[in-house]
Amino acid sequence: MALNDYNKEDKVLLALDCIIFGFDHEGLKILLIKRDFEPERGKWSLIGGFLKEEETLDQAAIRVLHRLTGLDNIFMEQLYTFSKIDRDPVERTLSVAYYALIDIASHDEKLIQKFSAKWFSLKELPNLIFDHDQMLEKAIARLRRRARSKPIGFELLPEKFTMPQLQKLYESILDEKLDKRNFISRVNALKILIKLDQKDMQVSKKGAYLYRFDEKKYHQKVLEGFSFKI
Amino acid sequence: MALNDYNKEDKVLLALDCIIFGFDHEGLKILLIKRDFEPERGKWSLIGGFLKEEETLDQAAIRVLHRLTGLDNIFMEQLYTFSKIDRDPVERTLSVAYYALIDIASHDEKLIQKFSAKWFSLKELPNLIFDHDQMLEKAIARLRRRARSKPIGFELLPEKFTMPQLQKLYESILDEKLDKRNFISRVNALKILIKLDQKDMQVSKKGAYLYRFDEKKYHQKVLEGFSFKI
DNA sequence: GATAAAAGTGTAAATTTAACACTTTAAAGG
DNA sequence: CCTTTAAAGTGTTAAATTTACACTTTTATC
């Protein structure tokens, strides 16, 4: 009986790298850690680690992210598997990139202090190791495509947020200015926001009304396959 | 010096599976092969094989496809990496799925004869091994998204084709009927087709004019970031 | 009480999308 | 050769969506 001989096949190291996008009043950022081991010790890197034999990629991504940043309960999505021959100088390693969107303010403290992780503005990135810049590029492209086709505020904003904040989020993802009135009417047309009787007085003198997502309506819309075109 | 010990990390088998979409007068199909080895010998399977240490995933996909079908010069795109623990019953194996679009007529002969590969209509698929049905599902979803956002006729049609053919291609990808007049005017608005002075008399009594893609204009449009909404 | 800085608000024109039916052509069959 | 048949080809109108655009309100600060 011809059993395919799995033993003859090569095994490889499989790494994971997490691209964590965050948003705060300054704009869109990503989370990097300072490597404390060779190669490239001391350089900034995506949050990465190796897959263990007995876990799925999704599980590994969660584990790696948690171990290096303390972050928990983050929904990550698989992006792409990178396989250039010499991408890791030590040994042949492939890496599966994952990405996630989070609100910086509601996770901040733990991170920056305990771990050597730090948020970087997309405009002021340090050099990244290996092929991490390519990973980031692909992640940004995906994020933009997503932002143009479905609302993504959910993950990146705090529970309560203002319209100007939501607009700034979109502007910083898409890297273009949007018209205030058109933006608002498009968002309102979706009917997935609830306007609160509260204002945020932090940013402007006049203050801006706070909103929150109506999760139920949002999920219903998702099922109906709605689209959000910006 | 703390060199991360790569030796302590697990290595895994990394497979590839190719989802080859084809199109002919009968509609959209995929290419499957009959496995001639255990496990699951005799069952139908996507075109798959293992990554070798010294090649990239793209290279491996090309090699595997060529070895099992004789197909050459096929542009494949990476889809997703599947990692369920028991997806392969023999040994822990992850698999990177690739997909491609080809015109059945211009590749047919070699395939079906020399290799035990066969085209299957999407509507009449046999049971697939492992998690290949999930791979296919994801590939179809991607193909539909692509079809709605950019013209994809290029790869799936012969060099010369008719409007009804192009429309049938779209209808079979999207699995919905489209309005003939609206479809044609949308396609024409792109200005990437050249109408030839020839008719195809095979299909209908009246005959249908043949067209071909204007590759230059197409690529220019791609650069401009045009969109094709159906 | 004047000033400054951001929030908030509506309309009209232009463009795009969707719905819809009859005529033309040539092969096939009587 | 006349009739039938089956698919190709062709435009218009109404509806919906998208875009462009400017002034008023509010409140903190000086």
Side-chain angles (χ1 to χ4, degrees):
Chain A
M1 148 170 136
L3 197 136
N4 197 34
D5 195 353
Y6 281 52
N7 294 323
K8 283 189 313 203
E9 307 295 344
D10 297 340
K11 290 189 175 187
V12 292
L13 282 172
L14 197 49
L16 289 113
D17 287 291
C18 304
I19 296 135
I20 309 298
F21 288 104
F23 182 71
D24 66 12
H25 60 281
E26 292 172 354
L28 194 64
K29 301 182 176 173
I30 62 161
L31 191 58
L32 300 176
I33 52 167
K34 196 173 243 171
R35 273 170 84 92
D36 62 352
F37 52 85
E38 297 296 337
E40 306 278 14
R41 178 210 275 270
K43 294 223 183 134
W44 292 96
S45 150
L46 293 173
I47 290 138
F50 289 93
L51 177 76
K52 293 186 188 300
E53 192 170 352
E54 73 285 358
E55 66 189 353
T56 65
L57 287 167
D58 289 3
Q59 287 163 355
I62 290 168
R63 173 180 57 78
V64 164
L65 179 64
H66 180 71
R67 202 166 52 79
L68 294 182
T69 68
L71 284 169
D72 231 329
N73 264 116
I74 306 292
F75 176 72
M76 279 181 282
E77 200 171 300
Q78 189 186 305
L79 181 64
Y80 196 80
T81 301
F82 293 81
S83 65
K84 245 184 19 198
I85 300 289
D86 294 317
R87 50 174 304 287
D88 185 319
V90 176
E91 190 170 340
R92 173 76 175 129
T93 307
L94 288 84
S95 178
V96 184
Y98 271 76
Y99 79 105
L101 310 173
I102 73 176
D103 163 40
I104 294 180
S106 51
H107 293 98
D108 219 0
E109 326 81 46
K110 285 185 276 183
L111 291 179
I112 304 286
Q113 293 157 11
K114 294 195 195 156
F115 302 87
S116 42
K118 193 180 156 192
W119 290 105
F120 286 86
S121 241
L122 286 180
K123 310 263 176 190
E124 303 160 358
L125 287 182
N127 281 328
L128 299 178
I129 63 161
F130 301 174
D131 52 358
H132 287 189
D133 46 345
Q134 277 168 257
M135 292 181 177
L136 180 57
E137 198 179 314
K138 205 152 192 132
I140 291 172
R142 179 99 130 223
L143 181 57
R144 287 200 179 136
R145 239 177 301 133
R146 270 196 58 178
R148 285 191 192 275
S149 65
K150 60 181 79 163
I152 56 169
F154 259 137
E155 303 97 334
L156 285 159
L157 290 173
E159 204 196 319
K160 296 173 184 178
F161 55 88
T162 67
M163 279 289 183
Q165 252 181 300
L166 183 59
Q167 185 177 343
K168 257 170 221 139
L169 169 60
Y170 270 84
E171 288 178 340
S172 66
I173 291 174
L174 299 176
D175 200 23
E176 69 184 70
K177 281 272 165 217
L178 300 173
D179 180 88
K180 193 160 51 164
R181 283 165 291 185
N182 292 341
F183 181 81
I184 290 174
S185 51
R186 239 177 287 229
V187 169
N188 281 334
L190 294 173
K191 297 188 184 164
I192 53 168
L193 293 192
I194 297 169
K195 188 175 186 170
L196 305 177
D197 259 345
Q198 262 177 82
K199 280 189 166 189
D200 170 25
M201 304 302 292
Q202 306 291 102
V203 179
S204 80
K205 292 163 186 169
K206 187 180 176 185
Y209 278 104
L210 288 162
Y211 290 78
R212 61 183 182 78
F213 279 104
D214 184 331
E215 289 212 35
K216 273 193 192 162
K217 282 195 187 166
Y218 173 78
H219 288 302
Q220 188 164 342
K221 294 265 177 185
V222 168
L223 290 179
E224 291 164 13
F226 76 129
S227 79
F228 182 54
K229 291 179 207 156
I230 287 252
Chain B
M1 150 170 136
L3 197 135
N4 197 34
D5 194 352
Y6 280 53
N7 294 323
K8 282 187 314 198
E9 307 296 344
D10 296 339
K11 290 190 175 186
V12 292
L13 283 172
L14 198 48
L16 289 113
D17 287 291
C18 305
I19 297 135
I20 308 298
F21 288 104
F23 182 70
D24 67 11
H25 59 281
E26 292 173 352
L28 194 63
K29 302 182 175 173
I30 63 162
L31 191 58
L32 299 177
I33 52 167
K34 197 173 243 173
R35 274 171 83 93
D36 62 352
F37 53 86
E38 297 296 335
E40 306 278 12
R41 176 210 275 269
K43 293 224 182 136
W44 293 96
S45 152
L46 292 173
I47 290 139
F50 288 93
L51 178 77
K52 292 186 189 299
E53 192 170 355
E54 73 285 358
E55 66 189 353
T56 65
L57 287 167
D58 289 3
Q59 288 163 356
I62 290 167
R63 173 180 57 76
V64 164
L65 179 63
H66 180 72
R67 201 166 54 80
L68 294 182
T69 67
L71 284 169
D72 231 330
N73 264 115
I74 306 292
F75 175 72
M76 278 180 283
E77 201 172 298
Q78 190 187 305
L79 181 65
Y80 195 79
T81 301
F82 293 82
S83 66
K84 243 182 23 195
I85 299 290
D86 294 316
R87 49 173 304 287
D88 185 320
V90 176
E91 190 171 340
R92 173 77 176 130
T93 306
L94 288 84
S95 178
V96 183
Y98 272 75
Y99 78 105
L101 310 175
I102 72 176
D103 163 41
I104 293 180
S106 51
H107 292 99
D108 218 1
E109 325 82 45
K110 284 185 275 181
L111 291 179
I112 304 285
Q113 293 157 10
K114 294 195 196 157
F115 301 87
S116 43
K118 192 179 158 196
W119 289 105
F120 286 86
S121 244
L122 287 179
K123 310 262 176 190
E124 302 160 359
L125 287 181
N127 281 329
L128 299 177
I129 64 161
F130 301 175
D131 52 358
H132 288 188
D133 47 344
Q134 276 168 256
M135 293 180 176
L136 179 58
E137 197 180 316
K138 206 154 191 131
I140 291 173
R142 179 98 130 225
L143 180 58
R144 288 203 177 134
R145 237 178 302 133
R146 271 196 58 180
R148 285 192 192 276
S149 66
K150 60 180 79 162
I152 56 171
F154 260 138
E155 303 97 334
L156 285 160
L157 290 173
E159 205 196 319
K160 297 173 184 177
F161 54 88
T162 65
M163 278 290 183
Q165 253 181 301
L166 184 59
Q167 185 177 342
K168 258 169 221 139
L169 170 59
Y170 269 84
E171 289 178 342
S172 66
I173 291 173
L174 300 177
D175 199 23
E176 69 185 67
K177 281 273 165 218
L178 301 173
D179 179 89
K180 193 160 54 164
R181 283 164 291 186
N182 291 340
F183 181 81
I184 290 174
S185 52
R186 240 178 287 230
V187 169
N188 282 333
L190 294 172
K191 297 186 184 165
I192 54 168
L193 292 191
I194 298 169
K195 187 176 187 169
L196 305 177
D197 259 346
Q198 261 178 83
K199 281 190 164 189
D200 170 26
M201 303 302 291
Q202 305 293 100
V203 179
S204 79
K205 291 163 186 170
K206 187 181 177 184
Y209 278 104
L210 288 162
Y211 290 78
R212 61 183 183 78
F213 279 104
D214 185 331
E215 289 213 36
K216 273 192 191 163
K217 282 195 187 166
Y218 173 77
H219 288 303
Q220 188 164 341
K221 294 265 176 182
V222 169
L223 290 179
E224 291 164 11
F226 76 130
S227 78
F228 182 56
K229 290 177 207 159
I230 289 251

